[in-house]
Amino acid sequence: MLEEFARRTREALASSDTFLGLVTPNWLADPTCWAQLGLAVALDKPIYLLVKEGTVINENFRRLAKRIEFFRADEDLALAARRLLLEDH
């Protein structure tokens, strides 16, 4: 089961240009998300993080990200994602 998860995740990440993580306290508690992030690092993908305001992320996690954008709970996520991805170019 873990092997199948790793294979599917690797295939999905290998075909993408970037890794975009929507970081919330629930995300931080999910080992699946950490596994995906680890594979993104191993595949040398640029890592972009959309972080819900109030979510605590440590310095090592911050250093992995090419860019971090914080969003409010009442904010449109599409607008926050556009800010995150377009301001980098």
Coordinates of all heavy atoms in Angstrom, one line a residue:
M1 N 0.8 -1.2 0.0 CA 0.0 0.0 0.0 C 0.9 1.3 0.0 O 0.6 2.2 -0.8 CB -0.9 0.0 1.2 CG -1.8 1.2 1.3 SD -3.4 0.8 1.9 CE -3.2 1.3 3.6
L2 N 1.9 1.3 0.9 CA 2.8 2.5 0.9 C 3.6 2.6 -0.4 O 3.8 3.7 -0.9 CB 3.7 2.4 2.1 CG 4.7 3.5 2.3 CD1 4.0 4.8 2.4 CD2 5.6 3.2 3.5
E3 N 4.0 1.4 -0.9 CA 4.7 1.4 -2.2 C 3.9 2.0 -3.3 O 4.4 2.7 -4.2 CB 5.1 0.0 -2.5 CG 6.5 -0.1 -3.1 CD 6.9 -1.6 -3.2 OE1 7.4 -2.1 -2.2 OE2 6.8 -2.1 -4.3
E4 N 2.6 1.6 -3.4 CA 1.7 2.1 -4.4 C 1.5 3.6 -4.3 O 1.5 4.3 -5.3 CB 0.3 1.4 -4.3 CG -0.7 1.8 -5.3 CD -0.3 1.6 -6.8 OE1 0.6 0.8 -7.1 OE2 -0.9 2.3 -7.6
F5 N 1.3 4.1 -3.0 CA 1.2 5.5 -2.8 C 2.4 6.2 -3.3 O 2.3 7.3 -4.0 CB 1.0 5.8 -1.3 CG 1.2 7.2 -0.9 CD1 0.2 8.2 -1.2 CD2 2.4 7.6 -0.3 CE1 0.4 9.5 -0.9 CE2 2.6 8.9 0.0 CZ 1.6 9.9 -0.3
A6 N 3.6 5.8 -3.0 CA 4.8 6.4 -3.4 C 5.0 6.4 -4.9 O 5.4 7.4 -5.5 CB 6.0 5.7 -2.7
R7 N 4.6 5.3 -5.5 CA 4.7 5.3 -7.0 C 3.7 6.3 -7.7 O 4.1 7.1 -8.5 CB 4.4 3.9 -7.5 CG 4.5 3.7 -9.0 CD 4.0 2.4 -9.5 NE 2.5 2.3 -9.3 CZ 1.6 2.9 -10.0 NH1 1.9 3.8 -10.9 NH2 0.3 2.7 -9.8
R8 N 2.5 6.3 -7.2 CA 1.5 7.2 -7.8 C 1.9 8.7 -7.5 O 1.8 9.5 -8.4 CB 0.1 7.0 -7.2 CG -0.6 5.8 -7.8 CD -2.1 5.8 -7.4 NE -2.4 6.3 -6.1 CZ -2.5 5.6 -4.9 NH1 -2.4 4.3 -5.0 NH2 -2.8 6.2 -3.8
T9 N 2.4 9.0 -6.3 CA 2.8 10.3 -6.0 C 4.0 10.8 -6.8 O 4.0 11.9 -7.3 CB 3.0 10.4 -4.5 OG1 1.9 10.0 -3.7 CG2 3.4 11.8 -4.1
R10 N 4.9 9.9 -6.9 CA 6.1 10.2 -7.7 C 5.8 10.5 -9.1 O 6.2 11.4 -9.7 CB 7.1 9.1 -7.6 CG 8.4 9.4 -8.4 CD 9.4 8.3 -8.2 NE 10.5 8.4 -9.1 CZ 11.5 9.3 -9.1 NH1 11.5 10.2 -8.1 NH2 12.5 9.3 -9.9
E11 N 4.9 9.7 -9.7 CA 4.5 9.9 -11.1 C 3.8 11.3 -11.3 O 4.0 12.0 -12.2 CB 3.5 8.8 -11.6 CG 4.2 7.5 -11.8 CD 3.2 6.3 -12.1 OE1 2.0 6.6 -12.1 OE2 3.7 5.2 -12.3
A12 N 2.9 11.6 -10.3 CA 2.2 12.9 -10.4 C 3.1 14.0 -10.3 O 3.1 15.0 -11.0 CB 1.1 12.9 -9.3
L13 N 4.1 13.9 -9.3 CA 5.0 15.0 -9.1 C 6.0 15.1 -10.3 O 6.4 16.3 -10.6 CB 5.7 14.9 -7.8 CG 4.9 15.2 -6.5 CD1 5.7 14.8 -5.3 CD2 4.6 16.7 -6.5
A14 N 6.4 14.0 -10.8 CA 7.4 14.1 -11.9 C 6.8 14.8 -13.1 O 7.6 15.4 -13.8 CB 7.8 12.6 -12.2
S15 N 5.5 14.7 -13.3 CA 4.9 15.3 -14.5 C 4.5 16.8 -14.2 O 4.1 17.4 -15.1 CB 3.7 14.5 -14.9 OG 2.7 14.6 -14.0
S16 N 4.8 17.3 -13.0 CA 4.4 18.7 -12.7 C 5.6 19.6 -12.7 O 6.7 19.1 -12.5 CB 3.7 18.8 -11.4 OG 4.5 18.5 -10.3
D17 N 5.4 20.8 -12.9 CA 6.5 21.8 -12.9 C 6.9 22.3 -11.5 O 8.0 22.6 -11.3 CB 6.2 23.0 -13.8 CG 6.1 22.7 -15.3 OD1 6.7 21.7 -15.7 OD2 5.3 23.4 -16.0
T18 N 5.9 22.3 -10.6 CA 6.1 22.8 -9.3 C 5.3 22.0 -8.3 O 4.5 21.2 -8.6 CB 5.6 24.3 -9.2 OG1 4.2 24.3 -9.4 CG2 6.3 25.2 -10.1
F19 N 5.6 22.3 -7.0 CA 4.9 21.7 -5.9 C 4.2 22.9 -5.2 O 4.8 23.8 -4.8 CB 5.8 21.0 -4.9 CG 5.0 20.4 -3.7 CD1 4.4 19.2 -3.8 CD2 5.0 21.2 -2.6 CE1 3.7 18.7 -2.7 CE2 4.3 20.7 -1.4 CZ 3.7 19.4 -1.5
L20 N 2.9 22.8 -5.1 CA 2.1 23.9 -4.4 C 1.4 23.2 -3.2 O 0.6 22.3 -3.4 CB 1.0 24.5 -5.3 CG 0.1 25.5 -4.7 CD1 0.8 26.6 -4.1 CD2 -1.0 25.9 -5.7
G21 N 1.8 23.6 -2.0 CA 1.2 23.1 -0.8 C 0.3 24.1 -0.2 O 0.6 25.3 -0.1
L22 N -0.9 23.7 0.1 CA -1.9 24.5 0.8 C -1.8 24.1 2.3 O -2.3 23.1 2.8 CB -3.3 24.2 0.3 CG -4.5 24.9 1.0 CD1 -4.3 26.4 0.8 CD2 -5.8 24.5 0.4
V23 N -1.1 25.0 3.0 CA -0.6 24.6 4.4 C -1.6 25.2 5.4 O -1.8 26.4 5.5 CB 0.8 25.1 4.7 CG1 1.2 24.7 6.1 CG2 1.7 24.7 3.6
T24 N -2.2 24.3 6.2 CA -3.1 24.6 7.3 C -2.7 23.7 8.5 O -1.9 22.8 8.3 CB -4.6 24.2 6.9 OG1 -4.7 22.8 6.7 CG2 -5.0 24.9 5.7
P25 N -3.2 23.9 9.7 CA -2.9 23.0 10.8 C -3.2 21.6 10.5 O -2.4 20.7 10.8 CB -3.7 23.6 11.9 CG -3.8 25.0 11.6 CD -4.0 25.1 10.1
N26 N -4.3 21.3 9.7 CA -4.6 19.9 9.4 C -3.6 19.3 8.4 O -3.3 18.2 8.5 CB -6.0 19.9 8.7 CG -7.1 20.1 9.7 OD1 -6.9 20.0 10.9 ND2 -8.3 20.5 9.2
W27 N -3.1 20.1 7.5 CA -2.1 19.7 6.5 C -0.9 19.3 7.3 O -0.3 18.2 7.0 CB -1.8 20.8 5.5 CG -0.9 20.4 4.4 CD1 -1.4 20.0 3.1 CD2 0.5 20.5 4.3 NE1 -0.3 19.8 2.3 CE2 0.8 20.0 3.0 CE3 1.5 20.8 5.1 CZ2 2.1 20.0 2.5 CZ3 2.8 20.7 4.7 CH2 3.1 20.3 3.4
L28 N -0.5 20.1 8.2 CA 0.7 19.8 9.0 C 0.6 18.5 9.8 O 1.6 17.9 10.1 CB 1.1 20.9 9.9 CG 1.5 22.2 9.2 CD1 1.6 23.3 10.3 CD2 2.8 22.0 8.5
A29 N -0.6 18.1 10.1 CA -0.8 16.8 10.9 C -0.9 15.6 10.0 O -1.0 14.5 10.5 CB -2.1 17.0 11.8
D30 N -1.0 15.8 8.7 CA -1.2 14.7 7.8 C 0.1 14.1 7.2 O 0.8 14.8 6.4 CB -2.1 15.2 6.6 CG -2.5 14.1 5.7 OD1 -2.0 12.9 5.7 OD2 -3.4 14.3 4.8
P31 N 0.5 12.9 7.6 CA 1.8 12.3 7.1 C 1.8 12.2 5.5 O 2.9 12.2 4.9 CB 1.9 11.0 7.7 CG 0.5 10.7 8.3 CD -0.2 12.0 8.4
T32 N 0.6 12.1 4.9 CA 0.6 12.0 3.4 C 1.2 13.3 2.8 O 1.9 13.2 1.9 CB -0.9 11.8 3.0 OG1 -1.4 10.7 3.5 CG2 -1.0 11.8 1.4
C33 N 0.8 14.4 3.4 CA 1.3 15.7 2.9 C 2.8 15.8 3.0 O 3.5 16.3 2.2 CB 0.6 16.9 3.6 SG -1.1 16.9 3.3
W34 N 3.4 15.3 4.2 CA 4.8 15.4 4.4 C 5.5 14.4 3.4 O 6.6 14.8 2.9 CB 5.1 15.0 5.8 CG 4.8 16.1 6.8 CD1 3.7 16.1 7.6 CD2 5.4 17.4 6.9 NE1 3.7 17.3 8.3 CE2 4.7 18.1 7.8 CE3 6.5 18.0 6.2 CZ2 5.1 19.4 8.2 CZ3 6.8 19.3 6.6 CH2 6.1 20.0 7.6
A35 N 4.9 13.3 3.1 CA 5.5 12.4 2.1 C 5.5 13.1 0.7 O 6.5 13.0 0.0 CB 4.7 11.1 2.1
Q36 N 4.5 13.7 0.4 CA 4.4 14.4 -0.9 C 5.5 15.5 -1.0 O 6.2 15.7 -2.0 CB 3.1 15.0 -1.2 CG 2.0 14.0 -1.4 CD 0.6 14.6 -1.4 OE1 0.4 15.7 -0.9 NE2 -0.3 13.8 -1.9
L37 N 5.6 16.3 0.1 CA 6.6 17.3 0.2 C 8.0 16.7 0.1 O 8.9 17.2 -0.7 CB 6.5 18.1 1.5 CG 7.5 19.2 1.7 CD1 7.4 20.3 0.7 CD2 7.4 19.8 3.1
G38 N 8.3 15.6 0.7 CA 9.6 15.0 0.7 C 9.9 14.5 -0.7 O 11.1 14.7 -1.2
L39 N 8.9 14.0 -1.5 CA 9.2 13.6 -2.9 C 9.4 14.8 -3.7 O 10.3 14.8 -4.6 CB 8.0 12.8 -3.4 CG 7.9 11.3 -3.0 CD1 6.6 10.7 -3.3 CD2 9.1 10.6 -3.7
A40 N 8.7 15.9 -3.4 CA 9.0 17.2 -4.2 C 10.4 17.6 -4.0 O 11.1 18.0 -5.0 CB 8.0 18.2 -3.8
V41 N 10.9 17.5 -2.8 CA 12.3 17.9 -2.5 C 13.2 17.0 -3.3 O 14.2 17.4 -3.9 CB 12.6 17.9 -1.0 CG1 14.1 18.0 -0.7 CG2 11.8 19.0 -0.3
A42 N 13.0 15.7 -3.2 CA 13.8 14.7 -3.9 C 13.8 14.9 -5.4 O 14.9 14.6 -6.0 CB 13.4 13.3 -3.5
L43 N 12.7 15.3 -5.9 CA 12.6 15.6 -7.4 C 13.1 17.0 -7.8 O 13.0 17.3 -8.9 CB 11.2 15.3 -7.9 CG 10.7 13.9 -7.8 CD1 9.2 13.8 -8.1 CD2 11.5 13.0 -8.8
D44 N 13.5 17.7 -6.8 CA 14.1 19.1 -7.0 C 13.0 20.0 -7.7 O 13.3 20.8 -8.5 CB 15.3 19.0 -7.9 CG 16.1 20.3 -7.7 OD1 16.0 21.0 -6.7 OD2 16.9 20.7 -8.7
K45 N 11.8 19.9 -7.2 CA 10.7 20.8 -7.7 C 10.7 22.1 -6.9 O 10.9 22.1 -5.7 CB 9.3 20.1 -7.5 CG 9.1 18.8 -8.2 CD 9.2 19.0 -9.7 CE 9.0 17.7 -10.5 NZ 9.0 17.9 -11.9
P46 N 10.4 23.2 -7.6 CA 10.3 24.4 -6.8 C 9.0 24.3 -5.9 O 8.0 23.8 -6.4 CB 10.0 25.5 -7.9 CG 10.3 24.8 -9.2 CD 10.3 23.4 -9.0
I47 N 9.1 24.7 -4.7 CA 8.1 24.5 -3.7 C 7.5 25.9 -3.4 O 8.2 26.8 -3.0 CB 8.6 23.9 -2.5 CG1 9.1 22.5 -2.8 CG2 7.6 23.9 -1.3 CD1 9.9 21.8 -1.7
Y48 N 6.2 26.0 -3.6 CA 5.4 27.2 -3.3 C 4.4 26.8 -2.2 O 3.8 25.7 -2.3 CB 4.6 27.7 -4.6 CG 5.5 28.2 -5.6 CD1 6.1 27.3 -6.6 CD2 5.8 29.6 -5.7 CE1 6.9 27.8 -7.6 CE2 6.6 30.0 -6.7 CZ 7.2 29.2 -7.6 OH 8.0 29.7 -8.6
L49 N 4.2 27.7 -1.2 CA 3.4 27.4 -0.1 C 2.3 28.5 0.1 O 2.7 29.6 0.2 CB 4.1 27.2 1.2 CG 5.2 26.1 1.2 CD1 6.0 26.2 2.5 CD2 4.6 24.8 1.0
L50 N 1.1 28.1 0.1 CA 0.0 28.9 0.5 C -0.3 28.6 1.9 O -0.7 27.4 2.2 CB -1.3 28.6 -0.4 CG -1.5 29.4 -1.6 CD1 -2.7 28.9 -2.4 CD2 -1.7 30.9 -1.3
V51 N -0.2 29.5 2.8 CA -0.3 29.2 4.3 C -1.4 30.0 4.9 O -1.5 31.2 4.8 CB 1.1 29.5 5.0 CG1 1.0 29.2 6.5 CG2 2.2 28.8 4.3
K52 N -2.3 29.3 5.5 CA -3.4 29.9 6.2 C -2.8 30.7 7.4 O -2.0 30.3 8.2 CB -4.4 28.9 6.8 CG -5.6 29.5 7.4 CD -6.5 28.4 7.8 CE -7.8 29.0 8.5 NZ -8.7 27.9 8.9
E53 N -3.3 32.0 7.4 CA -2.8 32.9 8.5 C -3.0 32.2 9.9 O -4.0 31.6 10.1 CB -3.5 34.2 8.5 CG -3.0 35.2 7.5 CD -3.7 36.6 7.6 OE1 -4.6 36.8 8.3 OE2 -3.2 37.5 6.9
G54 N -2.0 32.3 10.7 CA -2.1 31.7 12.0 C -1.5 30.4 12.1 O -1.3 29.8 13.2
T55 N -1.2 29.8 11.0 CA -0.5 28.5 10.9 C 1.0 28.7 11.2 O 1.6 29.5 10.5 CB -0.7 27.8 9.6 OG1 -2.1 27.6 9.3 CG2 -0.1 26.4 9.5
V56 N 1.5 28.0 12.1 CA 2.9 28.1 12.5 C 3.8 27.1 11.6 O 3.5 25.9 11.6 CB 3.2 27.8 14.0 CG1 4.6 27.9 14.3 CG2 2.4 28.8 14.8
I57 N 4.7 27.6 10.9 CA 5.6 26.8 10.1 C 7.1 27.1 10.6 O 7.4 28.3 10.7 CB 5.5 26.9 8.6 CG1 5.6 28.3 8.1 CG2 4.1 26.3 8.2 CD1 5.5 28.5 6.6
N58 N 7.9 26.1 10.8 CA 9.2 26.4 11.3 C 10.2 26.9 10.2 O 9.9 26.8 9.0 CB 9.8 25.1 12.0 CG 10.0 24.0 11.1 OD1 10.5 24.1 10.0 ND2 9.7 22.8 11.6
E59 N 11.3 27.3 10.6 CA 12.3 27.9 9.7 C 12.8 26.9 8.7 O 13.0 27.3 7.5 CB 13.5 28.5 10.5 CG 13.3 29.9 11.0 CD 12.9 30.8 9.9 OE1 13.6 30.9 8.8 OE2 11.8 31.5 10.0
N60 N 13.1 25.7 9.0 CA 13.5 24.7 8.0 C 12.5 24.5 7.0 O 12.9 24.4 5.8 CB 13.9 23.4 8.7 CG 15.2 23.4 9.5 OD1 16.1 24.2 9.1 ND2 15.3 22.6 10.5
F61 N 11.2 24.4 7.3 CA 10.2 24.3 6.4 C 10.1 25.5 5.5 O 10.0 25.4 4.2 CB 8.9 24.1 7.1 CG 7.7 23.7 6.2 CD1 7.8 23.1 5.0 CD2 6.4 23.9 6.7 CE1 6.7 22.8 4.2 CE2 5.3 23.6 5.9 CZ 5.5 23.0 4.7
R62 N 10.2 26.7 6.1 CA 10.2 28.0 5.3 C 11.4 28.0 4.3 O 11.2 28.5 3.1 CB 10.4 29.2 6.2 CG 9.2 29.5 7.0 CD 9.5 30.7 8.0 NE 8.4 31.0 8.8 CZ 7.5 31.9 8.5 NH1 7.6 32.6 7.4 NH2 6.4 32.1 9.3
R63 N 12.5 27.5 4.6 CA 13.7 27.5 3.7 C 13.5 26.6 2.5 O 14.1 26.9 1.5 CB 15.0 27.2 4.5 CG 15.5 28.3 5.3 CD 16.9 28.0 5.8 NE 17.0 27.0 6.8 CZ 16.9 27.2 8.1 NH1 16.7 28.4 8.6 NH2 17.0 26.2 8.9
L64 N 12.7 25.6 2.6 CA 12.4 24.8 1.5 C 11.6 25.5 0.4 O 11.7 25.2 -0.8 CB 11.6 23.6 1.9 CG 12.2 22.5 2.7 CD1 11.2 21.5 3.2 CD2 13.3 21.8 1.9
A65 N 10.9 26.5 0.8 CA 9.9 27.2 -0.2 C 10.6 28.2 -1.0 O 11.4 29.0 -0.5 CB 8.8 27.8 0.6
K66 N 10.3 28.2 -2.3 CA 10.8 29.2 -3.2 C 10.0 30.5 -2.9 O 10.5 31.6 -3.0 CB 10.5 28.8 -4.7 CG 11.0 29.9 -5.7 CD 10.9 29.3 -7.1 CE 11.4 30.4 -8.0 NZ 11.9 29.9 -9.3
R67 N 8.7 30.3 -2.5 CA 7.9 31.5 -2.2 C 6.8 31.0 -1.2 O 6.3 29.9 -1.4 CB 7.3 32.1 -3.4 CG 6.9 33.5 -3.2 CD 6.8 34.3 -4.5 NE 5.7 35.1 -4.6 CZ 5.3 36.0 -3.7 NH1 6.0 36.1 -2.6 NH2 4.3 36.7 -3.8
I68 N 6.4 31.9 -0.3 CA 5.3 31.6 0.6 C 4.3 32.8 0.6 O 4.7 34.0 0.5 CB 5.8 31.5 2.1 CG1 6.8 30.3 2.2 CG2 4.7 31.4 3.1 CD1 7.5 30.2 3.5
E69 N 3.1 32.5 0.5 CA 2.0 33.5 0.5 C 1.0 33.1 1.6 O 0.6 32.0 1.7 CB 1.3 33.6 -0.8 CG 0.2 34.6 -0.9 CD 0.8 36.0 -1.0 OE1 1.9 36.2 -1.5 OE2 0.1 36.9 -0.4
F70 N 0.7 34.1 2.5 CA -0.3 33.8 3.6 C -1.6 34.2 3.1 O -1.7 35.2 2.3 CB 0.1 34.6 4.8 CG 1.3 34.0 5.5 CD1 2.6 34.4 5.1 CD2 1.2 33.0 6.5 CE1 3.7 33.8 5.7 CE2 2.3 32.4 7.1 CZ 3.6 32.8 6.7
F71 N -2.7 33.5 3.5 CA -4.0 33.9 3.1 C -4.9 33.9 4.4 O -4.7 33.2 5.3 CB -4.6 32.9 2.0 CG -4.8 31.5 2.5 CD1 -6.1 31.1 2.9 CD2 -3.8 30.6 2.5 CE1 -6.3 29.8 3.4 CE2 -4.0 29.3 2.9 CZ -5.2 28.9 3.3
R72 N -6.0 34.7 4.3 CA -7.0 34.7 5.4 C -8.0 33.6 5.1 O -8.3 33.3 4.0 CB -7.6 36.1 5.4 CG -6.7 37.2 5.8 CD -7.5 38.6 5.8 NE -8.5 38.7 4.7 CZ -8.2 39.1 3.5 NH1 -7.0 39.5 3.1 NH2 -9.2 39.3 2.6
A73 N -8.6 33.2 6.2 CA -9.7 32.1 6.1 C -10.8 32.6 5.2 O -11.4 31.8 4.5 CB -10.2 31.8 7.5
D74 N -11.1 33.9 5.2 CA -12.3 34.4 4.4 C -11.9 34.8 3.0 O -12.7 35.3 2.2 CB -12.9 35.6 5.1 CG -12.0 36.8 5.3 OD1 -10.8 36.6 5.1 OD2 -12.5 37.9 5.6
E75 N -10.7 34.6 2.6 CA -10.1 35.0 1.3 C -10.3 34.0 0.2 O -10.3 32.8 0.5 CB -8.6 35.3 1.5 CG -8.0 35.9 0.2 CD -6.5 36.2 0.5 OE1 -6.0 35.9 1.6 OE2 -5.9 36.7 -0.4
D76 N -10.5 34.5 -1.0 CA -10.6 33.6 -2.2 C -9.2 32.9 -2.4 O -8.3 33.6 -2.7 CB -11.0 34.4 -3.4 CG -11.2 33.6 -4.6 OD1 -10.7 32.5 -4.7 OD2 -11.8 34.2 -5.6
L77 N -9.2 31.6 -2.4 CA -7.9 30.9 -2.5 C -7.3 31.1 -3.9 O -6.1 31.1 -4.1 CB -8.0 29.4 -2.2 CG -8.1 29.1 -0.7 CD1 -8.2 27.6 -0.6 CD2 -6.8 29.6 0.0
A78 N -8.2 31.2 -4.9 CA -7.7 31.5 -6.3 C -6.9 32.8 -6.4 O -5.8 32.8 -7.0 CB -8.8 31.5 -7.3
L79 N -7.3 33.8 -5.7 CA -6.6 35.1 -5.7 C -5.3 35.0 -5.0 O -4.3 35.5 -5.4 CB -7.5 36.2 -5.0 CG -8.7 36.6 -5.8 CD1 -9.5 37.6 -5.0 CD2 -8.3 37.2 -7.2
A80 N -5.3 34.3 -3.8 CA -4.0 34.0 -3.1 C -3.1 33.2 -3.9 O -1.9 33.5 -3.9 CB -4.4 33.4 -1.8
A81 N -3.5 32.2 -4.6 CA -2.7 31.4 -5.5 C -2.1 32.2 -6.6 O -0.9 32.1 -6.9 CB -3.4 30.2 -6.0
R82 N -2.9 33.1 -7.2 CA -2.4 34.0 -8.3 C -1.3 34.9 -7.7 O -0.3 35.0 -8.4 CB -3.5 34.8 -8.8 CG -3.9 34.3 -10.2 CD -5.0 35.2 -10.9 NE -6.2 34.4 -10.9 CZ -7.3 34.6 -10.4 NH1 -7.5 35.8 -9.8 NH2 -8.3 33.8 -10.5
R83 N -1.5 35.4 -6.6 CA -0.5 36.3 -6.0 C 0.8 35.5 -5.8 O 1.9 35.9 -6.1 CB -0.9 36.8 -4.6 CG -1.6 38.1 -4.6 CD -1.7 38.7 -3.2 NE -1.9 37.8 -2.1 CZ -3.0 37.5 -1.5 NH1 -4.2 37.9 -2.0 NH2 -3.1 36.6 -0.5
L84 N 0.7 34.3 -5.2 CA 1.8 33.4 -5.0 C 2.6 33.1 -6.2 O 3.8 33.3 -6.3 CB 1.3 32.2 -4.3 CG 2.4 31.1 -4.1 CD1 3.4 31.5 -3.0 CD2 1.7 29.8 -3.7
L85 N 1.9 32.7 -7.3 CA 2.6 32.2 -8.5 C 3.0 33.3 -9.4 O 4.0 33.3 -10.1 CB 1.7 31.2 -9.2 CG 1.4 30.0 -8.3 CD1 0.4 29.1 -9.0 CD2 2.7 29.2 -8.1
L86 N 2.2 34.4 -9.5 CA 2.5 35.4 -10.5 C 3.5 36.4 -10.0 O 4.2 37.0 -10.8 CB 1.2 36.1 -10.9 CG 0.2 35.3 -11.7 CD1 -1.1 36.0 -12.0 CD2 0.8 34.7 -12.9
E87 N 3.5 36.7 -8.7 CA 4.5 37.7 -8.2 C 5.9 37.2 -8.3 O 6.9 38.0 -8.3 CB 4.2 38.1 -6.8 CG 2.9 38.9 -6.7 CD 2.7 39.4 -5.3 OE1 3.6 39.3 -4.4 OE2 1.5 39.8 -5.0
D88 N 6.1 35.9 -8.6 CA 7.4 35.3 -8.7 C 8.0 35.6 -10.1 O 9.2 35.5 -10.3 CB 7.4 33.8 -8.4 CG 8.8 33.3 -8.2 OD1 9.6 33.8 -7.4 OD2 9.1 32.3 -8.9
H89 N 7.2 35.9 -11.0 CA 7.7 36.0 -12.4 C 7.8 37.4 -12.9 O 7.4 38.4 -12.5 CB 6.7 35.3 -13.4 CG 6.7 33.8 -13.1 ND1 7.7 33.0 -13.4 CD2 5.7 33.1 -12.5 CE1 7.4 31.8 -13.0 NE2 6.2 31.8 -12.5

